Amino acid sequence: MGESRRRTEQSCYLRLNNRQPGSTYPVSVDHSFLSDIFQLEKSYASDSVFLFRKHSHPLRKFHVTATTLRLVMTISRRFNTEGTLVGCPVHRLYKLMLDEYEQGCSKEQFYAEIHKFIELGLLSVSTNGIVEEWKLESYKRDSGRFILFHPVVFSQQFTGLPVAAQKLYLYIVSRNGNRVKSEFKEYLGRDSWIYTLTHKSRPAQIKELLDSLSSIQIHGERLFLNCSVEKDSLGRWSLRCALNPYFLVRHVAGAQYRMIPQAKIPYSKTVARLRQLVHYHKLGHIEQVQHGGLFLKLAQLLHNKSLRTLRFAVSRIRDFILRYGLTDGVDLVSMLRAELEDQAFVAYMEVLQHTGAYRYLGMAENEEGVETYAEARPLQFFRSIKDKLSLAELKRLCNKAVPVIRHRYGEKIDCDTFYLEDLLLELH
């Protein structure tokens, strides 16, 4: 490896005065996401100020602020490679942002930006059972391209610049790609992207932004090898610059660009019991798989289930792991969900048999063409009733329903008009 290449790769890791225990490393930003952020500025002229939270920090809806850029980098650092983040409340995401930057922003500014992103459809949040899941909606939409930014973007030298200068630098890097020592050039016409992005309308103002960016110095290196705003022979103004290779990050296979937080599971009786059972069966390592994501999915699946069901589930998990291991190709949660449905189906049918309600599922006897329907009818009944009635409720209602059925219909039931589940829900 050449000395210059080794020096460039080492420069990609920067020790900052932030809360990180070691060096801060580059951040990988999805191209579609960054493009959607920049596109907001196109509607700036017709924009107005909004309160995205009651009594919160007022924001322009179509404007990229310094806090917007912090949120972009925080999402890019902390979300997984599928553009999602599970089990991370918003206040924890804010603290993770503070860990990364030398100079943070206020909690109100950050929370308002989160709500702005949701309002704009850039970000969504859903609650499944006991946890929240964040999703970046524009992730990989176009080409799957990522842009690697040097950790200088987390430094106070960078965030202390005017936000227009910050946006200009991110734009130049995103347009430059992996080209090293090649000149970047863009004309400054009336509808120039640079004017749109920075809200500047004169070449002299763009020159001021470049000068402010050139003031940044890390280990004796500046962001640009050279930069200028010049007029050509035809009278056209253009921005010209060459980015310093010291601050350009080349993708390295296996390099770390993300730092996904461990999923935080809210305390509940289900989680406490599940954690106790997996440790009893010496399966405690499940809590660390997928940054806690697997345990989180299991907690969602088993939320509010009985202790008997939890014991059955953990025993089946143990069997699955002994047989298949915990490889990426094994969907443990889906396998367990199927097992639980099979177990519940048998239990529900046993209740129907014991109470005498099974014969009233609505299956006609001794008629042609009903065999296939008769085979599917128990499963149809189970699927329609399993989320509405517990086993105890089913038993109580079946004992109540059998005399009612005999009184109403006698011994012969028309399967085209009678459905046992309808009667049970009517009596519920």
Side-chain angles (χ1 to χ4, degrees), residues 316-422:
R316 296 302 296 139
I317 290 171
R318 180 194 59 203
D319 294 342
F320 288 150
I321 292 176
L322 289 175
R323 181 178 299 178
Y324 303 107
L326 277 175
T327 62
D328 292 337
V330 177
D331 190 343
L332 182 63
V333 177
S334 295
M335 295 172 71
L336 183 59
R337 182 181 290 110
E339 288 270 344
L340 291 175
E341 286 187 355
D342 288 346
Q343 184 199 38
F345 174 74
V346 171
Y348 273 60
M349 292 304 106
E350 285 178 351
V351 168
L352 293 186
Q353 294 280 7
H354 293 158
T355 58
Y358 189 82
R359 62 175 300 190
Y360 300 116
L361 274 180
M363 298 177 290
E365 298 178 358
N366 302 321
E367 293 184 18
E368 283 188 47
V370 298
E371 286 188 15
T372 303
Y373 173 74
E375 291 175 1
R377 181 68 183 108
L379 187 57
Q380 180 190 53
F381 170 85
F382 170 69
R383 287 174 175 170
S384 65
I385 213 79
K386 64 184 178 69
D387 295 325
K388 299 180 178 68
L389 301 176
S390 66
L391 275 174
E393 290 173 326
L394 179 65
K395 183 177 181 180
R396 178 179 62 81
L397 291 172
C398 283
N399 285 326
K400 187 176 180 180
V402 169
V404 173
I405 296 171
R406 288 174 181 164
H407 177 73
R408 286 187 188 179
Y409 303 101
E411 295 299 322
K412 186 173 178 59
I413 296 177
D414 184 353
C415 66
D416 292 329
T417 59
F418 176 78
Y419 289 90
L420 178 60
E421 54 267 41
D422 292 340

Side-chain angles (χ1 to χ4, degrees), residues 213-228:
L213 287 166
S214 298
S215 68
I216 293 179
Q217 188 170 341
I218 303 290
H219 299 153
E221 301 284 348
R222 299 188 184 276
L223 294 181
F224 300 109
L225 296 177
N226 55 72
C227 58
S228 64

Side-chain angles (χ1 to χ4, degrees), residues 14-278:
L14 184 64
R15 184 172 289 277
L16 297 172
N17 187 27
N18 57 15
R19 299 179 184 178
Q20 295 298 338
S23 296
T24 299
Y25 42 86
V27 58
S28 175
V29 180
D30 179 64
H31 181 265
S32 299
F33 181 31
L34 189 63
S35 297
D36 282 353
I37 294 297
F38 286 161
Q39 287 286 339
L40 298 179
E41 299 287 12
K42 283 190 171 183
S43 302
Y44 179 83
S46 59
D47 198 7
S48 57
V49 174
F50 286 83
L51 283 174
F52 289 94
R53 298 176 72 224
K54 190 176 181 181
H55 308 306
S56 74
H57 188 78
L59 291 177
R60 280 182 173 269
K61 187 174 184 179
F62 298 102
H63 179 44
V64 178
T65 67
T67 308
T68 305
L69 298 181
R70 284 179 172 84
L71 181 54
V72 167
M73 296 301 170
T74 302
I75 287 173
S76 300
R77 176 73 90 206
R78 301 297 177 169
F79 280 41
N80 64 25
T81 54
E82 300 302 319
T84 61
L85 178 62
V86 180
C88 183
V90 63
H91 67 270
R92 188 178 180 208
L93 194 61
Y94 171 69
K95 290 181 178 179
L96 292 172
M97 182 275 294
L98 294 179
D99 290 344
E100 203 78 31
Y101 279 89
E102 288 188 324
Q103 182 184 49
C105 62
S106 74
K107 184 184 296 184
E108 280 304 319
Q109 287 174 316
F110 189 81
Y111 282 23
E113 283 288 344
I114 288 276
H115 284 268
K116 184 175 85 172
F117 275 39
I118 294 173
E119 179 74 18
L120 290 167
L122 297 169
L123 193 64
S124 64
V125 58
S126 59
T127 303
N128 184 357
I130 58 176
V131 296
E132 288 182 338
E133 178 174 358
W134 299 91
K135 181 180 180 183
L136 187 58
E137 294 297 336
S138 58
Y139 193 77
K140 288 185 178 180
R141 185 188 60 245
D142 292 337
S143 61
R145 178 187 166 196
F146 291 89
I147 307 156
L148 292 172
F149 289 105
H150 190 275
V152 69
V153 299
F154 297 105
S155 71
Q156 188 170 352
Q157 287 192 61
F158 185 79
T159 59
L161 296 178
V163 66
Q166 297 178 48
K167 288 187 286 186
L168 178 60
Y169 181 72
L170 299 183
Y171 174 72
I172 292 172
V173 173
S174 68
R175 290 291 305 275
N176 186 73
N178 291 324
R179 295 188 295 272
V180 178
K181 294 185 179 180
S182 62
E183 184 182 68
F184 174 86
K185 178 180 178 181
E186 187 161 317
Y187 288 107
L188 301 177
R190 178 178 298 176
D191 298 322
S192 163
W193 245 114
I194 291 177
Y195 282 160
T196 300
L197 203 58
T198 61
H199 307 299
K200 307 300 181 183
S201 58
R202 299 195 308 274
Q205 293 174 311
I206 302 301
K207 180 66 167 63
E208 288 178 5
L209 297 180
L210 289 175
D211 289 343
S212 67
L213 287 166
S214 298
S215 68
I216 293 179
Q217 188 170 341
I218 303 290
H219 299 153
E221 301 284 348
R222 299 188 184 276
L223 294 181
F224 300 109
L225 296 177
N226 55 72
C227 58
S228 64
V229 177
E230 300 174 344
K231 184 187 289 187
D232 62 15
S233 59
L234 298 177
R236 296 175 300 180
W237 287 97
S238 64
L239 180 155
R240 294 171 177 267
C241 67
L243 292 165
N244 188 341
Y246 185 85
F247 295 98
L248 293 179
V249 183
R250 287 185 173 274
H251 180 267
V252 178
Q256 187 177 16
Y257 303 115
R258 300 178 185 277
M259 192 156 47
I260 305 165
Q262 189 79 9
K264 184 177 181 181
I265 308 174
Y267 181 84
S268 70
K269 186 183 293 185
T270 300
V271 171
R273 287 175 170 177
L274 181 59
R275 184 172 283 128
Q276 183 179 22
L277 286 168
V278 296

